[in-house]
Short mmCIF file of all heavy atoms in Angstrom, two decimals:
data_model
loop_
_atom_site.label_atom_id
_atom_site.label_comp_id
_atom_site.label_asym_id
_atom_site.label_seq_id
_atom_site.Cartn_x
_atom_site.Cartn_y
_atom_site.Cartn_z
N ASN H 87 123.32 73.49 128.88
CA ASN H 87 123.01 74.01 130.21
C ASN H 87 124.26 74.49 130.95
O ASN H 87 124.19 75.54 131.64
CB ASN H 87 122.34 72.89 131.06
CG ASN H 87 120.94 72.61 130.51
OD1 ASN H 87 120.29 73.40 129.88
ND2 ASN H 87 120.46 71.43 130.84
N GLU H 88 125.40 73.84 130.81
CA GLU H 88 126.63 74.29 131.40
C GLU H 88 127.08 75.63 130.76
O GLU H 88 127.45 76.52 131.49
CB GLU H 88 127.74 73.25 131.26
CG GLU H 88 128.97 73.64 131.95
CD GLU H 88 130.07 72.57 131.85
OE1 GLU H 88 129.85 71.43 131.50
OE2 GLU H 88 131.23 72.94 132.14
N LEU H 89 126.96 75.72 129.47
CA LEU H 89 127.31 76.94 128.77
C LEU H 89 126.39 78.10 129.22
O LEU H 89 126.90 79.25 129.51
CB LEU H 89 127.20 76.74 127.25
CG LEU H 89 127.70 77.88 126.36
CD1 LEU H 89 129.18 78.20 126.62
CD2 LEU H 89 127.50 77.48 124.88
N MET H 90 125.13 77.87 129.33
CA MET H 90 124.21 78.90 129.81
C MET H 90 124.52 79.27 131.27
O MET H 90 124.44 80.46 131.63
CB MET H 90 122.75 78.46 129.66
CG MET H 90 122.28 78.33 128.23
SD MET H 90 122.42 79.86 127.27
CE MET H 90 123.87 79.47 126.28
N GLY H 91 124.89 78.34 132.08
CA GLY H 91 125.21 78.57 133.44
C GLY H 91 126.49 79.47 133.51
O GLY H 91 126.55 80.37 134.38
N LEU H 92 127.49 79.19 132.67
CA LEU H 92 128.64 80.07 132.64
C LEU H 92 128.32 81.46 132.13
O LEU H 92 128.93 82.44 132.61
CB LEU H 92 129.70 79.41 131.74
CG LEU H 92 130.26 78.05 132.25
CD1 LEU H 92 131.17 77.46 131.17
CD2 LEU H 92 131.01 78.24 133.57
N LEU H 93 127.43 81.53 131.15
CA LEU H 93 127.05 82.86 130.61
C LEU H 93 126.32 83.76 131.65
O LEU H 93 126.31 84.96 131.55
CB LEU H 93 126.19 82.71 129.37
CG LEU H 93 126.89 82.63 128.06
CD1 LEU H 93 125.96 82.35 126.95
CD2 LEU H 93 127.74 83.88 127.73
N LYS H 94 125.66 83.09 132.66
CA LYS H 94 124.90 83.85 133.66
C LYS H 94 125.86 84.82 134.40
O LYS H 94 125.48 85.83 134.87
CB LYS H 94 124.20 82.93 134.66
CG LYS H 94 122.94 82.36 134.08
CD LYS H 94 122.25 81.48 135.15
CE LYS H 94 120.99 80.88 134.55
NZ LYS H 94 120.29 80.04 135.50
N ASP H 95 127.14 84.38 134.54
CA ASP H 95 128.11 85.16 135.29
C ASP H 95 128.80 86.24 134.41
O ASP H 95 129.64 86.94 134.87
CB ASP H 95 129.22 84.24 135.88
CG ASP H 95 128.60 83.27 136.86
OD1 ASP H 95 127.59 83.59 137.50
OD2 ASP H 95 129.18 82.17 137.05
N VAL H 96 128.45 86.33 133.12
CA VAL H 96 129.05 87.28 132.20
C VAL H 96 128.04 88.39 131.92
O VAL H 96 126.91 88.13 131.66
CB VAL H 96 129.43 86.54 130.86
CG1 VAL H 96 129.93 87.55 129.88
CG2 VAL H 96 130.43 85.48 131.14
N ASN H 97 128.53 89.57 131.96
CA ASN H 97 127.74 90.74 131.61
C ASN H 97 127.82 90.89 130.08
O ASN H 97 128.78 91.40 129.54
CB ASN H 97 128.27 92.04 132.25
CG ASN H 97 127.46 93.28 131.91
OD1 ASN H 97 126.50 93.18 131.10
ND2 ASN H 97 127.82 94.40 132.48
N ILE H 98 126.82 90.29 129.35
CA ILE H 98 126.82 90.24 127.95
C ILE H 98 126.86 91.59 127.31
O ILE H 98 127.60 91.81 126.30
CB ILE H 98 125.63 89.42 127.41
CG1 ILE H 98 125.77 87.98 127.88
CG2 ILE H 98 125.53 89.50 125.93
CD1 ILE H 98 124.56 87.12 127.67
N GLU H 99 126.19 92.54 127.88
CA GLU H 99 126.23 93.95 127.33
C GLU H 99 127.60 94.56 127.40
O GLU H 99 127.88 95.49 126.65
CB GLU H 99 125.20 94.83 128.09
CG GLU H 99 123.76 94.35 127.79
CD GLU H 99 122.76 95.08 128.65
OE1 GLU H 99 123.16 95.95 129.53
OE2 GLU H 99 121.59 94.86 128.46
N ALA H 100 128.50 94.10 128.25
CA ALA H 100 129.82 94.68 128.40
C ALA H 100 130.83 93.97 127.44
O ALA H 100 131.99 94.39 127.43
CB ALA H 100 130.30 94.56 129.81
N LEU H 101 130.45 92.97 126.66
CA LEU H 101 131.38 92.28 125.80
C LEU H 101 132.21 93.23 124.91
O LEU H 101 133.37 93.06 124.77
CB LEU H 101 130.66 91.26 124.93
CG LEU H 101 130.24 89.97 125.59
CD1 LEU H 101 129.52 89.04 124.65
CD2 LEU H 101 131.45 89.21 126.16
N PRO H 102 131.49 94.22 124.26
CA PRO H 102 132.25 95.11 123.37
C PRO H 102 133.30 95.98 124.06
O PRO H 102 134.16 96.57 123.38
CB PRO H 102 131.20 95.97 122.74
CG PRO H 102 129.90 95.24 122.93
CD PRO H 102 130.08 94.45 124.18
N THR H 103 133.24 96.06 125.38
CA THR H 103 134.23 96.92 126.09
C THR H 103 135.29 96.15 126.76
O THR H 103 136.20 96.78 127.38
CB THR H 103 133.45 97.73 127.13
OG1 THR H 103 132.88 96.86 128.08
CG2 THR H 103 132.38 98.58 126.50
N LEU H 104 135.30 94.78 126.66
CA LEU H 104 136.38 94.02 127.35
C LEU H 104 137.75 94.30 126.65
O LEU H 104 137.84 94.38 125.46
CB LEU H 104 136.02 92.55 127.24
CG LEU H 104 134.81 92.07 127.98
CD1 LEU H 104 134.57 90.59 127.75
CD2 LEU H 104 134.92 92.34 129.46
#
Side-chain angles (χ1 to χ4, degrees):
N87 291 337
E88 184 178 346
L89 187 59
M90 291 303 103
L92 295 172
L93 271 175
K94 282 183 182 180
D95 297 333
V96 174
N97 181 357
I98 295 172
E99 293 173 356
L101 284 178
T103 62
L104 293 178

